[in-house]
Amino acid sequence: MTKKPFKTIGIGVAFSPNLKANLYEAARLALFFDCKLVLIHVGKESEDKIKTLKIILNHFKKDNLNYEVLFKSGNPVEIILNASEEKNIDLLIIGAAKQEKFFTYYIGSIARKITRRAKCSLLLLINPSLERVPCQHIVVNGLMDPKTEQTIATAFYVGAKLKAEKITIVEEVKQNEIHVKIDDDKSLRKTQIVKERLSNRERSRIKHIIEDIPEEYTKDIAIKSQPIFGTQGYSIGHYAQIARADLLVMNPPTKMTFWDRVFPHDIEHILNELPTDVLIIQ
């Protein structure tokens, strides 16, 4: 992980009822991470729009917030993705519905389409707030995957900057790794032994990842390792929900086909029903 993974933050700006709350959240993050903030509006530039944005962000004038506004007309998904590359945005913030309707799930909302195609990290906001809500508990995936080390390291960076109290690393272990059919007490005990061995394996793997993260990002945060058994994506989403996590940090989605959407897996479960704000690391 680089010392500073985020240098420029972008946010898609729509003049909706959530505009002020979304901008406040984005501005606070830009200040926490010492980043430039780029506001991307899909639509024509106007004096009224510029005035509205200035009035809202004037709240952060005393903090010397560094920002610029980009106006472009066209397809929202293409505009936001192209602007993200053009402005070298490292973290793109987009508003997202907590639970998508069935029709929207198959057709694809703007947020979902951007999530599948973005080349930068993404923060999906479901409950933006004018007043800062402290980020106390972060849950991050600990999948056995080449991208996981970077994801966990970035989660600790974010946790340190936001002064989180706790980070839980969830290792989702697939049920097919157990290879035991439960039909009596003996097989049940055998299953429990296998689960314990897999849990120890996962804890050891995660421990080695954490050891490589700079101490400045780990020293003031309580760290918990939590192996869970179940459907990948769904299990961690459910865990984040019952653990009342303030932020869920995930690996980027893999390439998908239509059938992956019909039979969802991995991050598709998360996108279908966001348990909390979700940060996807690229």
Side-chain angles (χ1 to χ4, degrees):
M1 185 191 78
T2 58
K3 197 74 172 176
K4 185 179 177 183
F6 307 132
K7 297 180 178 66
T8 305
I9 291 178
I11 180 169
V13 174
F15 287 81
S16 67
N18 276 342
L19 173 63
K20 188 173 182 179
N22 282 331
L23 289 183
Y24 269 44
E25 293 281 16
R28 283 192 292 260
L29 287 174
L31 293 171
F32 274 123
F33 299 147
D34 189 25
C35 290
K36 179 180 180 179
L37 177 62
V38 178
L39 313 182
I40 307 164
H41 175 63
V42 181
K44 293 182 179 180
E45 181 177 348
S46 73
E47 290 185 10
D48 286 343
K49 290 177 181 178
I50 294 173
K51 183 179 178 182
T52 298
L53 296 175
K54 280 185 176 179
I55 290 173
I56 293 173
L57 292 177
N58 192 53
H59 179 80
F60 301 94
K61 188 175 181 180
K62 63 184 184 302
D63 303 305
N64 296 315
L65 176 68
N66 179 14
Y67 76 93
E68 72 168 294
V69 186
L70 199 61
F71 291 93
K72 287 194 175 184
S73 297
N75 178 282
V77 173
E78 300 302 330
I79 292 297
I80 291 173
L81 290 174
N82 290 338
S84 297
E85 291 194 53
E86 177 188 326
K87 294 295 180 179
N88 295 315
I89 288 170
D90 308 293
L91 175 61
L92 178 64
I93 301 172
I94 50 179
K98 187 175 178 63
Q99 185 173 18
E100 292 199 46
K101 294 178 182 178
F102 182 85
F103 180 79
T104 307
Y105 176 69
Y106 285 96
I107 302 303
S109 67
I110 290 175
R112 186 181 287 275
K113 288 177 181 177
I114 291 172
T115 300
R116 290 176 182 145
R117 293 176 53 192
K119 295 179 181 178
C120 63
S121 296
L122 291 166
L123 175 61
L124 306 179
L125 280 179
I126 62 171
N127 291 313
S129 174
L130 292 176
E131 297 295 326
R132 185 186 178 234
V133 178
C135 182
Q136 298 175 324
H137 184 197
I138 295 175
V139 169
V140 56
N141 73 231
L143 294 172
M144 191 178 290
D145 184 278
K147 301 171 184 174
T148 295
E149 188 170 342
Q150 170 75 13
T151 298
I152 292 176
T154 305
F156 274 92
Y157 170 84
V158 171
K161 293 296 181 181
L162 300 184
K163 295 183 171 24
E165 297 176 359
K166 178 181 177 181
I167 289 184
T168 300
I169 302 165
V170 173
E171 308 96 52
E172 292 177 288
V173 182
K174 295 178 182 178
Q175 288 287 357
N176 60 15
E177 287 197 58
I178 300 174
H179 300 303
V180 179
K181 183 180 179 181
I182 302 175
D183 49 23
D184 56 23
D185 289 346
K186 184 178 179 181
S187 60
L188 179 60
R189 286 194 297 273
K190 187 175 181 180
T191 299
Q192 291 170 338
I193 292 171
V194 172
K195 281 188 173 183
E196 187 58 34
R197 286 175 179 169
L198 289 171
S199 296
N200 289 336
R201 179 199 73 186
E202 293 301 296
R203 289 192 187 99
S204 176
R205 180 174 62 83
I206 295 302
K207 182 181 177 183
H208 288 305
I209 292 175
I210 295 172
E211 286 172 351
D212 290 334
I213 299 173
E215 188 182 356
E216 63 182 294
Y217 301 143
T218 62
K219 62 180 180 180
D220 296 322
I221 297 179
I223 304 170
K224 179 182 178 182
S225 178
Q226 180 66 57
I228 57 177
F229 297 82
T231 304
Q232 193 169 301
Y234 174 81
S235 298
I236 191 171
H238 181 66
Y239 179 87
Q241 192 169 39
I242 63 173
R244 297 183 182 276
D246 302 294
L247 181 66
L248 173 60
V249 186
M250 297 287 293
N251 286 353
T254 53
K255 270 192 170 182
M256 292 188 2
T257 66
F258 170 78
W259 294 110
D260 291 321
R261 298 180 212 174
V262 176
F263 303 103
H265 62 85
D266 198 10
I267 205 166
E268 284 297 303
H269 287 294
I270 304 296
L271 296 177
N272 191 36
E273 187 171 358
L274 298 171
T276 184
D277 292 344
V278 176
L279 174 61
I280 301 170
I281 303 299
Q282 288 283 6

